[in-house]
Amino acid sequence: MPDFHHILLDVALIQGVDADAAREIKWFEGRSDEHLSLGSQAVRALVLGKRRDAAELLKRAADVAERRGLRGLAERWRQASLANPYGDCQDDTGDFVRACADIETELRDAETRLKRRPDDGILAAVRVPARRASIELRRNVPARALELLQAAAPFERRYPEVVYMRGLALLQMGRYDQARVEFQKIVDHRGAAWGARYPLAILGAARAASRSGDIVAAQKSYDEFLRMWKDADPDLPVLAEAKREFAALGAP
């Protein structure tokens, strides 16, 4: 029964049907599994650029999970509440809360697990290469990042961070039309890619369109991003950058 209501809540939050979401949130209130609702609400807050609200919801979810004895989940959510959710890394579980931590440490941990479990296809094809690709992006070596992400291509519908990182790499390389295609894949699959990366993919599409000279498309995507983040935390650097870039395009 909780899983059913959790699915209904996620669908309502993704579709923006506030009345349905409120009904499901009410159903979870005071229950031992309320952490499911709080986690979903945190994801919605991240999509809207409300990092502070998301952090508080994640802390509450961690407390509920802790009381239920789910210590691993509680610790992961506490770490997520402190991290930057708008970076280019990913969490270890494929969950929708994307928390950026020390990517070098995450890579070492993933490589250690792969040595213990060499037959783990997801570790070998997705998690280890994606962490290596993230490091290459930070080093401004996008071509190498693209090479590393090739192994994850068959799994990208399940792990949309692969698509997002490919978009970032192509953007760095000046292959703007191709980057735009990758970001648009995320935008077009809202449910599968729901999370902090969803608005960033819209922004990525805007930047790719702008740099390719398609100003009309760029203005449309910037406007979509800024409308989505109209109530976002005002001190988010990515929001300030988007506003400056949009203003530089001139009035639509």
Side-chain angles (χ1 to χ4, degrees):
M1 182 67 75
D3 288 343
F4 176 71
H5 284 277
H6 190 207
I7 291 171
L8 291 177
L9 175 58
D10 281 340
V11 170
L13 291 172
I14 291 170
Q15 293 182 343
V17 184
D18 293 340
D20 289 353
R23 183 181 64 246
E24 298 306 325
I25 290 170
K26 183 70 175 177
W27 187 89
F28 275 104
E29 285 181 359
R31 295 176 55 92
S32 62
D33 44 23
E34 188 180 6
H35 61 91
L36 298 173
S37 169
L38 294 168
S40 290
Q41 292 176 68
V43 173
R44 170 68 172 173
L46 289 175
V47 171
L48 298 179
K50 299 181 179 181
R51 181 180 175 184
R52 293 190 185 89
D53 288 352
E56 290 304 314
L57 287 162
L58 287 168
K59 290 175 185 175
R60 289 172 57 195
D63 291 342
V64 175
E66 184 77 35
R67 289 196 295 270
R68 196 174 178 183
L70 304 173
R71 294 184 178 85
L73 179 62
E75 179 58 25
R76 186 168 62 85
W77 276 349
R78 287 197 181 97
Q79 291 178 1
S81 73
L82 300 172
N84 169 25
Y86 301 116
D88 60 357
C89 53
Q90 78 241 17
D91 75 355
D92 186 50
T93 63
D95 201 347
F96 291 131
V97 177
R98 308 299 183 182
C100 288
D102 182 347
I103 195 65
E104 299 275 1
T105 299
E106 289 186 0
L107 174 58
R108 287 195 297 271
D109 290 346
E111 289 175 333
T112 299
R113 290 197 301 276
L114 183 58
K115 288 178 181 178
R116 294 197 301 264
R117 307 197 306 265
D119 295 331
D120 189 322
I122 297 302
L123 266 175
V126 180
R127 291 174 178 161
V128 170
R131 282 161 173 76
R132 290 173 178 165
S134 181
I135 291 170
E136 296 302 328
L137 284 173
R138 295 182 184 190
R139 292 173 176 168
N140 198 29
V141 190
R144 177 58 181 156
L146 279 182
E147 291 176 9
L148 289 165
L149 292 171
Q150 287 178 2
F155 309 97
E156 64 184 41
R157 289 294 296 272
R158 176 62 181 84
Y159 298 92
E161 61 269 17
V162 172
V163 181
Y164 180 73
M165 292 170 67
R166 188 186 300 129
L168 291 180
L170 291 166
L171 198 62
Q172 283 189 18
M173 296 173 72
R175 294 160 60 177
Y176 303 128
D177 289 339
Q178 291 173 281
R180 188 172 164 187
V181 168
E182 297 302 316
F183 292 128
Q184 195 62 42
K185 289 179 184 177
I186 295 178
V187 178
D188 290 343
H189 295 88
R190 183 179 182 127
W194 192 244
R197 259 189 209 90
Y198 183 77
L200 296 185
I202 297 173
L203 180 58
R207 287 169 169 165
S210 174
R211 294 172 192 179
S212 70
D214 191 342
I215 303 305
V216 173
Q219 288 172 330
K220 181 179 178 181
S221 292
Y222 275 114
D223 183 65
E224 182 179 358
F225 172 79
L226 292 172
R227 280 188 289 108
M228 181 174 287
W229 275 30
K230 61 183 176 62
D231 298 318
D233 295 346
D235 58 346
L236 291 175
V238 67
L239 177 60
E241 291 168 5
K243 287 181 176 179
R244 286 196 299 269
E245 291 164 5
F246 184 47
L249 292 178

